Amino acid sequence: MTKYAIIVAGGKGSRFGSDTPKQFLPLNGTPILMHTINRFNECNCKIIVVLPESQISHWKQLCYKHSFSIPHLIIAGGQTRFHSVKNAIDSITPAECDLIAIHDGVRPLVSKNIIDEAFDIALTKGSAIPAIELTDSIRQLYNNSTSKALPRASLRAVQTPQTFQALLIKKAYDTPFSDDFTDDASVVEALGHNITLTNGSSKNIKITHSIDLIIAEEILKNE
């Protein structure tokens, strides 16, 4: 069984408050993206990294600086995340691939168990999307003035890697872009395919704000 991991790393660091793209910021001395790649390397995947074209040269310099030698193919991203993922998927020949996992480059703490379970379940179900229960109360805004409480028990926070049978995700990404596509699962769902949720983890955080990096460092210390 041949498995691919597409790691999408197109952040600019604006919400983080840094001039350095988030994926290149150091986590315990090593760029975040290198931690992420290493997690998938442990799971016997072929790895594709999607970066904005303007960042590819800098990434190669970082790889040289850190003697980072894990094999990976670099693909230039597109106008949106959808187009970036599509560029990576289009680089894969269907006959050489069974499963494709798509992961956020700034989720460097994903566990081997989450990755392996997603591949195993996607093999039989077609899709596998890690998710966790919500701990905060949720309200839906209407016209930015009124709001309504939503039943938390029926909601889940979605994570990555979002994993699919290769032919299914390739077919999904032949669909024209829509603003309704918030993640890869929503692209597949638009085909009428049911989405299978799997176990995520509160440790599988997405580094978006500066506090997230502090939390990630603490998690790594205790792994």
Side-chain angles (χ1 to χ4, degrees), residues 92-212:
I92 301 171
T93 302
E96 68 178 13
C97 180
D98 300 296
L99 297 167
I100 297 176
I102 305 167
H103 188 66
D104 298 322
V106 289
R107 287 189 191 269
L109 304 180
V110 61
S111 70
K112 187 176 185 299
N113 285 343
I114 288 176
I115 297 170
D116 287 341
E117 181 182 41
F119 277 125
D120 289 343
I121 291 177
L123 184 63
T124 57
K125 300 290 187 179
S127 64
I129 313 300
I132 59 174
E133 294 182 353
L134 299 177
T135 56
D136 295 328
S137 294
I138 299 295
R139 298 191 68 85
Q140 184 171 4
L141 287 176
Y142 298 93
N143 299 320
N144 292 321
S145 58
T146 60
S147 65
K148 180 182 178 181
L150 296 180
R152 183 175 62 191
S154 65
L155 300 173
R156 294 295 183 269
V158 173
Q159 301 180 335
T160 66
Q162 299 191 4
T163 307
F164 308 91
Q165 292 175 1
L167 291 177
L168 174 61
I169 193 65
K170 275 184 164 288
K171 181 179 179 181
Y173 269 89
D174 283 336
T175 303
F177 172 73
S178 168
D179 288 332
D180 293 333
F181 295 154
T182 57
D183 61 359
D184 310 294
S186 62
V187 181
V188 170
E189 196 170 37
L191 287 179
H193 192 283
N194 290 329
I195 296 301
T196 302
L197 297 183
T198 59
N199 294 315
S201 169
S202 59
K203 294 181 179 180
N204 184 20
I205 62 173
K206 183 177 182 180
I207 297 178
T208 304
H209 304 285
S210 56
I211 187 64
D212 299 325

Side-chain angles (χ1 to χ4, degrees), residues 1-7 40-41 43-49 70-73 92 96-97 99-101 119:
M1 180 174 63
T2 304
K3 302 175 291 185
Y4 270 80
I6 296 172
I7 299 175
F40 283 88
N41 187 55
C43 297
N44 193 30
C45 302
K46 294 185 177 182
I47 298 171
I48 297 174
V49 174
I70 292 176
H72 60 282
L73 174 66
I92 301 171
E96 68 178 13
C97 180
L99 297 167
I100 297 176
F119 277 125

